Amino acid sequence: MDEIANPAGPRKELLNNHCGEFMKMIKDIQVTLREEIKSACEYRPFEKCDYRARLSSEISCKKLECVISQLDKMEETINRYQASA
């Protein structure tokens, strides 16, 4: 900024050097960020955890047990109705 604000005008070579340094720093930051993001994506502490799948299966089994129980009750009611008729 000092070079741009120079009353005699900015020196082209110095301005090019500063711009080059700035772009290199930005590129280094970008590379570092990419590496950090990649390493964060690779870390999955619960990747091999099957808790959710097991829980879902258990809930489904309980639902099926309830449905089977209700169907058995319906069958008993139908059988009693047919026996009395």
Side-chain angles (χ1 to χ4, degrees), residues 45-59:
F46 302 108
E47 181 178 345
K48 295 181 181 176
C49 180
D50 64 343
Y51 176 76
R52 180 176 281 174
R54 283 188 301 122
L55 186 62
S56 179
S57 295
E58 288 180 34
I59 290 171

Side-chain angles (χ1 to χ4, degrees), residues 1-83:
M1 295 304 291
D2 290 336
E3 188 60 33
I4 293 173
N6 188 353
R11 292 173 286 187
K12 187 175 181 177
E13 300 82 29
L14 192 56
L15 194 59
N16 282 338
N17 288 341
H18 285 307
C19 286
E21 288 175 18
F22 178 75
M23 292 305 290
K24 185 180 178 334
M25 284 190 277
I26 294 295
K27 193 178 256 185
D28 291 343
I29 291 169
Q30 187 179 28
V31 167
T32 304
L33 282 173
R34 281 186 182 152
E35 289 171 359
E36 289 297 319
I37 290 170
K38 279 183 186 177
S39 68
C41 290
E42 290 170 359
Y43 175 70
R44 295 183 182 141
F46 302 108
E47 181 178 345
K48 295 181 181 176
C49 180
D50 64 343
Y51 176 76
R52 180 176 281 174
R54 283 188 301 122
L55 186 62
S56 179
S57 295
E58 288 180 34
I59 290 171
S60 295
C61 286
K62 292 294 181 186
K63 287 179 179 179
L64 284 173
E65 288 174 8
C66 288
V67 168
I68 290 170
S69 171
Q70 290 182 1
L71 286 173
D72 287 340
K73 288 178 185 175
M74 288 173 64
E75 185 179 29
E76 287 174 19
T77 304
I78 291 170
N79 289 338
R80 271 189 265 138
Y81 176 77
Q82 288 177 346

